[in-house]
Every structure is written in C-alpha cells, then in structure tokens.
Amino acid sequence: MNNSLDQLAIQIGKLSPAQRRVLFRKLKAMGLIEAENLLSDRDPLRIALSVPSRATERDDRQLASELTDPKPPRPADRPRRAAPRSSESSPALSAPHNQPKPTQLAPPPALTQAPSEPIRIVFDGGSRGNPGQGYGSFALDWPGYPREIVQLTFGDQATNNEAEYDTLIAALEAVRDRIAELQIDPRSAILSIWGDSLLVCNQVRGEWTCKEPRLQVRLESVKELLSGFGKSELNHQPREKSVEILGH
C-alpha cells in the first residue's frame, strides 16, 4: 500500500499546475476533499467550479490518462484559463488549446488601453435551498468583442444573497485580472453593472444598511474592487432581463 501511495505521489508531482487544479476539482466534486473554511472566508474565484462542459470532460479524461502514464510538462505550458461561453463565434475563445479556469476571461488581443465605452457586466446568483447549493452567472460585454457568459457554482451552504454577492465579486475580479494582463491602467476603465437583486444594488450604492456579518464581508470586497476602477455604476433591472441574458 505504501509503495502504491508513493508512486501516486510521484505521478501527481509530475503534473503541471493546471493539471493539479483539474485533479483537485475532480477530487472535491467526488467528495474526497472536504472544505476547511466557511464559504464567507473563501475567495469565490478559487472555489467556483465550472458548469460541466465538453471541454472540461476532455480535460478530465486527459488527466486520468496522464495519471497512469505521466509525461513531463512542456516548457511552454501555461495554466489554462476557463473558457467562457460566447453568444457569437470567436477564434480567440473557441480555440481548443485555450480552455480557461471557470471565472477567468481570455483577454481580447491588441488592446493597450481600456475602451472608451463602458464595460458592461450583468450578474445573477441564487441558491437551491436557501441555504443550499449556490450558483451564479455573469455576462461580460467588452466593447468591440462578442458577449462572454461565465457560469459558477458555490458551496452547499450558500444563501441567495451570498450567491448574488459572490457572483458580482467573481465578475469584478475577472475584469480586474483581464485589465492587469493587458497592462492597462484600471482607473481608465468605466463599468456599467446590472443586476436584479435590490438588496445587493442598494447596499453597494449605500442606500440600504448591511447588518448581516456574512454579507458585510462581501459588501466590503465589492467596494474595494470598485474603488480600483475609474468609474462604475450599479443599476437594478427586472428579473426578466437577467433571465433573458443569462438563462436563469
């Protein structure tokens, strides 16, 4: 048994960082790894799991094959980013060798500054059970490029309001990371954010107070992220509009 465990450890050690993340998500989904922290203490970008897709199924099959016959990573390998869905075909997003992590977006090419028009975000989250299995989606409309939609799932003890906040945080972090990769001054970016949660919209705008500790943590994270951009506005929209864009 010890020899088998040693061999398994050696094989895992030969995996690239991206392959280890796939393995970690796989073990977590199978219930073989238990979370040690509350959902409110975690970074939603790190805990978010992608809705199963053909791309992730291929990654899982490839990982299983490499665990039994590991190969040294190529020097040019980089961590793969989770590919968001796009409402239009785009070679930069559909290339099979550029599949991303769940909430990170593939940056558009040949940009040196933030677009002059607002970057538009639509977000929505919820919970099956309240508390229960948390889920969320956000759409990103980067001017001049096809719409991208990212779907998320959170822990099994999330409330509706927590999932709404976590989805907004994930969207803001994804835009922040894209801007950083492009070496753009984030204070040149203008954000137009839309959601159907009156609670989140009014608390972020300072119109409602937030007394629930788990939501206060998330509210402070949203405010800190927004402070890093040039301008931002958070707008409330009818539920039907979110469903039309995000599908839920």
Side-chain angles (χ1 to χ4, degrees):
M1 174 65 72
N2 289 336
N3 290 337
S4 298
L5 292 177
D6 290 341
Q7 290 297 321
L8 179 59
I10 292 173
Q11 293 174 359
I12 293 176
K14 295 179 179 179
L15 299 178
S16 69
Q19 292 169 338
R20 292 177 191 173
R21 284 194 294 271
V22 174
L23 175 60
F24 178 81
R25 295 200 302 269
K26 187 73 172 180
L27 294 175
K28 187 174 180 181
M30 295 171 63
L32 299 179
I33 295 180
E34 296 183 359
E36 297 180 355
N37 300 317
L38 294 174
L39 179 62
S40 60
D41 297 328
R42 305 182 211 160
D43 181 348
L45 267 180
R46 290 200 303 268
I47 65 170
L49 299 178
S50 208
V51 172
S53 65
R54 294 177 181 174
T56 56
E57 289 173 1
R58 289 197 301 269
D59 285 344
D60 290 343
R61 289 197 298 269
Q62 180 181 357
L63 176 61
S65 173
E66 293 174 353
L67 282 175
T68 57
D69 184 20
K71 299 178 182 178
R74 294 174 298 175
D77 280 350
R78 298 178 58 190
R80 293 183 176 181
R81 302 183 175 279
R85 292 191 292 112
S86 172
S87 60
E88 302 177 23
S89 59
S90 171
L93 297 177
S94 61
H97 299 294
N98 291 312
Q99 300 298 341
K101 293 191 299 184
T103 61
Q104 292 180 323
L105 304 170
L111 288 180
T112 58
Q113 62 182 9
S116 57
E117 299 178 13
I119 301 168
R120 189 169 185 265
I121 296 172
V122 177
F123 73 97
D124 186 28
S127 172
R128 298 178 179 89
N130 198 30
Q133 178 64 54
Y135 63 90
S137 298
F138 67 85
L140 174 65
D141 289 324
W142 189 287
Y145 292 86
R147 171 176 291 166
E148 298 164 284
I149 297 179
V150 175
Q151 296 178 324
L152 312 167
T153 60
F154 304 110
D156 58 5
Q157 291 298 316
T159 66
N160 286 328
N161 292 330
E162 289 171 354
E164 291 273 12
Y165 263 113
D166 285 348
T167 304
L168 175 57
I169 290 170
L172 294 175
E173 288 182 336
V175 174
R176 177 202 63 189
D177 292 346
R178 166 179 282 184
I179 288 175
E181 289 181 2
L182 296 172
Q183 298 182 347
I184 292 173
D185 180 3
R187 297 193 177 277
S188 68
I190 304 172
L191 301 187
S192 177
I193 308 167
W194 297 80
D196 58 59
S197 171
L198 270 176
L199 181 137
V200 172
C201 291
N202 287 336
Q203 286 184 349
V204 172
R205 292 186 302 218
E207 298 174 6
W208 291 4
T209 59
C210 179
K211 299 181 179 180
E212 208 286 316
R214 292 165 67 97
L215 295 185
Q216 286 177 342
V217 173
R218 291 165 165 82
L219 175 58
E220 291 305 315
S221 295
V222 170
K223 289 182 177 179
E224 181 178 357
L225 286 163
L226 289 176
S227 69
F229 300 104
K231 295 181 181 179
S232 62
E233 59 177 11
L234 182 56
N235 306 285
H236 181 261
Q237 67 182 11
R239 170 86 180 145
E240 294 75 15
K241 188 64 176 178
S242 295
V243 173
E244 177 184 344
I245 296 172
L246 299 170
H248 67 83

